[in-house]
Amino acid sequence: MSTLEIDQARKLYGDLEVLKGVSISIGTGDFLVLLGPSGCGKSTLLNMIAGLESISGGEIRIAGKVVNDLSPKDRDIAMVFQSYALYPTMTVRQNIEFGMKIRGVSQAERDKAVKTAADLLQMTHLLDRKPSQLSGGQRQRVAMGRAIVRQPKLFLFDEPLSNLDAKLRVDMRTEIKRLHARLGTTIVYVTHDQIEAMTLATRVAVMKDGVVQHLDDPQSVYDRPANVYVARFVGSPSMNIIPARLDVEDGRPIAVIDIPGGAAARLSGIPLSSQAATKYAGHNILVGIRPELFSVAGAQATQTVTVNIDVVEPTGPDTLALFQAGGVEVTARVPPRAVAARASATLAVDTGKIVMFDADNEQRID
Amino acid sequence: MHTEARSARRSNQIGRLFIYGSLIALAAFYLMPLWVMIVTSLKSLDEIYGGSFIGVPQAITFEAWNKAWQEACIGTACTGLRPYFINSILMVVPAVILSTGIGAINGYILTKWRFTGANAIFGLLLFGCFLPFQAVILPMAQVLGRLHLSGTIPGLVLVHTVYGISFTTLFFRNYFITIPDELTRAAQIDGAGFFRIFFSVMLPTALPIIVVSCIWQFTQIWNDFLFGVSFTAGQSSPITVALNNIVNVTMGRKQYNVDMAAAMIAAIPTLFVYVVAGRYFVRGLTAGAVKG
């Protein structure tokens, strides 16, 4: 059993509150990603879990045990750092052994643990090298090896991939995912890269200004973001947030979006409860539409917008078409060569999956 | 085309000639005093007074070296420099080790275990670097008196250690600040404590700056005259004070050859340290400035 419960955790530096009562709880084997821009408090939170920063308020429990006043070594955790933090004067083997040596593990057991970790990470041939003789990816692997031999209740990763080049980052990402599947340990992983969060996590906590904005599984965060901030942060290209007006016609909600130089688009079939529809009828709202919810309208399409395409950006597998709607620039992801720039196009919208937000507080309306 | 290349090569050669010529001339100029010292120390006194000053000795003799080492009179005792050389060793070795060790711990604490006011304390420590020797002589004499260390080698060790901490702390602080904090954090999570991290992680990486600190402190302490002459007397003097006494107190003809030999003996340890560890010195001095 290795659960993690963070209960109203707060962090103050003098008068500056960088974490404002964060509560997250994950179960054994979960992969929690703390996602947010720099300065959102995600690394501070990780360091508080690790015991490298003190906890100003609230409680953190690892496997049911309150760890607020425990030193890092007594928390049964292992951590992988962004800069790898390998001991430069020690060989790979000594790096991996260091913690076990301090805990007084016997030589035979140490050798066995090093061998297991080295086999797992395919770095047996590197054991006698110094960190300076390793590439970035190899160093990352050693750092993970050092964490694995500890057999901790909790793995902590602090932006472990951000020092790697793009290609290697994708490879290592897969490796971390595979490792998690194989070892089944509980992981807390900090990143500002939303793709890492989507691909790795079983639970994502999107953070901003020391507050958790949304905590859920990655697909739910992507499909039904809690607010405009989360909607914009997760997904690339990000979700279109279009100012619109809510009409109610025969009891059915309709989102009305102004199209410059054309008829307003009237989208029905949107997922909105009747209470919300009544409450927001006639009000301005924000409509969130992922770029891939647009498609080139076929003959049967009922929910459509007819727009003038400004720019098309081919990405290979598909093309991004940019146009104006509701006073903002909107991106649609369509098949290659489906639309042309500086021409009119009629796009169908999968209205069942669009998301509505309150225009004032930017929270999702259900 | 062909002649152009040739003339270019020729002008290049002239340039090289000029560079080497001027470098050799300047080096010779700076080596002149050393040359005079060496040849004078190898001449007999008669030859020196015969008028040869810069020239090669007619008959090489190590008599002056022998005399400087074990026969020359310093005050009333004619023991040569040997006991004072030993005094200096007894002073410099513990003082270098202590000041470097304390500087290393200070630098480690000031960078990796930040506490409120750490920067203020570092700033105050830096004052020590700019404090002239003369300013501390009187208070230092009082302190040594209270500690009953006046006029002793351990007293000098204390003085040099205290005075050296400012410099060694500066060296180590500036070196350790380039080592990522994540390294200490990783060691903490591995279960290492304060001293374990210091000895197993930090010190091994600090070899270049340890060398710098040792060379710097060794040179400063070995060459120091003022503290030596102020806080010791007679048999407990360091070599610099004894050298001064040999050179400045003479009866009869001034023994230039012995003076030169004595000066060389006093300078040999620092020269030796530079030659042996000099390349680490440059590397260590630039290590803090350029990361990597």
Side-chain angles (χ1 to χ4, degrees), chain A residues 47 50 52-53 72-73 77 79 81-83 85-90 98-99 102-103 146 150, chain B residues 179-193 196-197 200-201 203-206:
Chain A
N47 285 335
L52 298 168
E53 300 255 17
K73 67 177 160 64
I77 49 155
M79 190 157 169
F81 294 88
Q82 183 177 354
S83 70
L86 302 179
Y87 311 122
T89 54
M90 301 183 199
F98 186 66
I102 289 173
R103 289 193 302 280
R146 192 168 62 179
R150 172 112 212 220
Chain B
I179 292 177
D181 290 347
E182 290 191 345
L183 215 55
T184 349
R185 300 185 153 207
Q188 269 179 279
I189 288 178
D190 267 341
R196 184 76 186 227
I197 296 174
S200 297
V201 180
L203 266 197
T205 66

Side-chain angles (χ1 to χ4, degrees), chain B:
Chain B
M1 185 74 182
H2 211 67
T3 47
E4 243 174 66
R6 195 176 295 168
S7 82
R9 201 183 312 148
R10 164 152 296 195
S11 86
N12 196 5
Q13 277 173 346
I14 293 172
R16 287 270 135 191
L17 209 65
F18 178 75
I19 290 171
Y20 281 109
S22 41
L23 285 179
I24 289 169
L26 284 172
F29 181 74
Y30 278 102
L31 282 173
M32 207 61 199
L34 182 65
W35 168 256
V36 172
M37 283 178 79
I38 293 173
V39 293
T40 307
S41 73
L42 296 176
K43 287 171 187 169
S44 68
L45 205 56
D46 289 337
E47 194 186 332
I48 297 168
Y49 278 92
S52 155
F53 190 59
I54 296 182
V56 186
Q58 285 157 354
I60 291 178
T61 165
F62 288 95
E63 204 186 308
W65 284 76
N66 190 40
K67 210 166 172 185
W69 182 240
Q70 50 192 13
E71 288 169 18
C73 295
I74 293 148
T76 51
C78 293
T79 55
L81 281 178
R82 189 166 54 183
Y84 304 97
F85 191 91
I86 293 168
N87 280 351
S88 274
I89 297 273
L90 289 179
M91 166 186 75
V92 81
V93 171
V96 166
I97 293 174
L98 282 174
S99 57
T100 301
I102 295 171
I105 294 225
N106 282 351
Y108 168 55
I109 295 172
L110 286 171
T111 52
K112 301 299 169 219
W113 299 88
R114 293 273 175 75
F115 52 93
T116 330
N119 280 337
I121 286 189
F122 180 57
L124 288 174
L125 266 170
L126 280 190
F127 265 124
C129 299
F130 304 109
L131 216 57
F133 275 22
Q134 291 83 346
V136 299
I137 284 183
L138 276 180
M140 196 67 98
Q142 284 189 318
V143 170
L144 288 178
R146 298 239 171 105
L147 296 173
H148 303 291
L149 287 173
S150 302
T152 64
I153 301 280
L156 272 188
V157 170
L158 177 70
V159 172
H160 284 300
T161 303
V162 170
Y163 204 84
I165 286 174
S166 302
F167 292 94
T168 54
T169 302
L170 175 68
F171 291 149
F172 280 97
R173 187 261 182 197
N174 285 356
Y175 189 82
F176 285 144
I177 205 140
T178 64
I179 292 177
D181 290 347
E182 290 191 345
L183 215 55
T184 349
R185 300 185 153 207
Q188 269 179 279
I189 288 178
D190 267 341
F194 180 87
F195 284 106
R196 184 76 186 227
I197 296 174
F198 180 63
F199 286 111
S200 297
V201 180
M202 301 303 278
L203 266 197
T205 66
L207 187 65
I209 207 69
I210 293 174
V211 173
V212 167
S213 175
C214 284
I215 292 182
W216 176 270
Q217 282 301 98
F218 187 93
T219 317
Q220 292 290 315
I221 298 171
W222 184 274
N223 288 342
D224 164 69
F225 177 72
L226 188 64
F227 285 155
V229 82
S230 308
F231 300 134
T232 60
Q235 290 303 306
S236 56
S237 301
I239 195 165
T240 44
V241 176
L243 175 66
N244 175 67
N245 292 345
I246 286 187
V247 174
N248 285 340
V249 186
T250 37
M251 282 160 246
R253 279 205 296 185
K254 194 155 178 61
Q255 301 190 319
Y256 287 112
N257 53 354
V258 176
D259 293 352
M260 294 302 179
M264 298 276 295
I265 290 172
I268 279 173
T270 35
L271 277 177
F272 175 77
V273 166
Y274 266 110
V275 170
V276 169
R279 59 199 184 97
Y280 289 101
F281 189 68
V282 178
R283 210 183 294 164
L285 277 188
T286 52
V290 186
K291 212 176 162 186

Side-chain angles (χ1 to χ4, degrees), chain A residues 42-121:
Chain A
K42 59 191 192 299
S43 284
T44 306
L45 181 59
L46 192 75
N47 285 335
M48 284 160 68
I49 299 170
L52 298 168
E53 300 255 17
S54 63
I55 300 164
S56 308
E59 215 172 68
I60 294 180
R61 291 183 292 272
I62 298 173
K65 190 164 104 187
V66 179
V67 297
N68 283 36
D69 298 317
L70 288 183
S71 71
K73 67 177 160 64
D74 299 323
R75 294 192 180 194
D76 210 351
I77 49 155
M79 190 157 169
V80 175
F81 294 88
Q82 183 177 354
S83 70
Y84 322 128
L86 302 179
Y87 311 122
T89 54
M90 301 183 199
T91 62
V92 168
R93 182 190 302 278
Q94 288 165 333
N95 260 285
I96 297 175
E97 278 186 333
F98 186 66
M100 289 188 286
K101 247 184 192 165
I102 289 173
R103 289 193 302 280
V105 177
S106 74
Q107 179 73 48
E109 268 181 74
R110 293 208 301 262
D111 286 346
K112 208 174 121 202
V114 170
K115 192 180 175 321
T116 312
D119 286 345
L120 186 67
L121 295 166

Side-chain angles (χ1 to χ4, degrees), chain A residues 73-338:
Chain A
K73 67 177 160 64
D74 299 323
R75 294 192 180 194
D76 210 351
I77 49 155
M79 190 157 169
V80 175
F81 294 88
Q82 183 177 354
S83 70
Y84 322 128
L86 302 179
Y87 311 122
T89 54
M90 301 183 199
T91 62
V92 168
R93 182 190 302 278
Q94 288 165 333
N95 260 285
I96 297 175
E97 278 186 333
F98 186 66
M100 289 188 286
K101 247 184 192 165
I102 289 173
R103 289 193 302 280
V105 177
S106 74
Q107 179 73 48
E109 268 181 74
R110 293 208 301 262
D111 286 346
K112 208 174 121 202
V114 170
K115 192 180 175 321
T116 312
D119 286 345
L120 186 67
L121 295 166
Q122 292 154 20
M123 56 175 193
T124 315
H125 59 295
L126 303 175
L127 283 177
D128 294 314
R129 294 204 201 162
K130 290 273 176 69
S132 58
Q133 296 164 302
L134 303 178
S135 68
Q138 290 170 331
R139 286 179 204 188
Q140 190 57 66
R141 229 174 278 212
V142 177
M144 284 200 271
R146 192 168 62 179
I148 287 170
V149 293
R150 172 112 212 220
Q151 297 186 304
K153 288 216 172 68
L154 200 60
F155 274 112
L156 307 176
F157 287 86
D158 189 4
E159 307 217 19
L161 304 183
S162 47
N163 281 2
L164 301 176
D165 62 55
K167 168 84 174 69
L168 203 52
R169 198 177 305 170
V170 175
D171 292 348
M172 289 303 289
R173 201 171 71 199
T174 314
E175 202 151 331
I176 291 176
K177 181 120 190 174
R178 196 175 289 139
L179 207 63
H180 177 242
R182 177 127 34 126
L183 299 175
T185 28
T186 316
I187 294 180
V188 182
Y189 185 108
V190 163
T191 184
H192 59 262
D193 181 342
Q194 51 92 19
I195 297 186
E196 276 176 33
M198 289 300 294
T199 50
L200 290 171
T202 61
R203 310 274 288 162
V204 178
V206 184
M207 293 180 65
K208 181 199 171 197
D209 299 335
V211 178
V212 174
Q213 305 288 321
H214 195 170
L215 173 66
D216 211 334
D217 66 276
Q219 197 61 52
S220 305
V221 171
Y222 185 84
D223 289 340
R224 307 282 298 159
N227 54 40
V228 170
Y229 179 81
V230 176
R232 286 209 170 106
F233 199 85
V234 178
S236 174
S238 60
M239 183 186 265
N240 300 297
I241 306 293
I242 310 165
R245 198 181 68 247
L246 192 73
D247 271 3
V248 179
E249 223 175 59
D250 305 333
R252 288 182 312 143
I254 293 171
V256 184
I257 301 170
D258 289 332
I259 306 293
R266 297 176 64 80
L267 303 176
S268 60
I270 54 180
L272 206 59
S273 66
S274 51
Q275 294 100 310
T278 319
K279 184 181 166 199
Y280 285 94
H283 285 69
N284 289 332
I285 57 166
L286 295 170
V287 175
I289 310 179
R290 293 271 176 209
E292 64 272 20
L293 297 185
F294 292 99
S295 56
V296 178
Q300 271 85 48
T302 51
Q303 303 302 320
T304 60
V305 288
T306 302
V307 294
N308 286 309
I309 307 292
D310 296 327
V311 181
V312 291
E313 297 174 343
T315 62
D318 38 39
T319 290
L320 302 179
L322 278 65
F323 56 88
Q324 293 287 324
V328 296
E329 183 155 84
V330 177
T331 307
R333 192 195 289 269
V334 293
R337 300 198 179 94

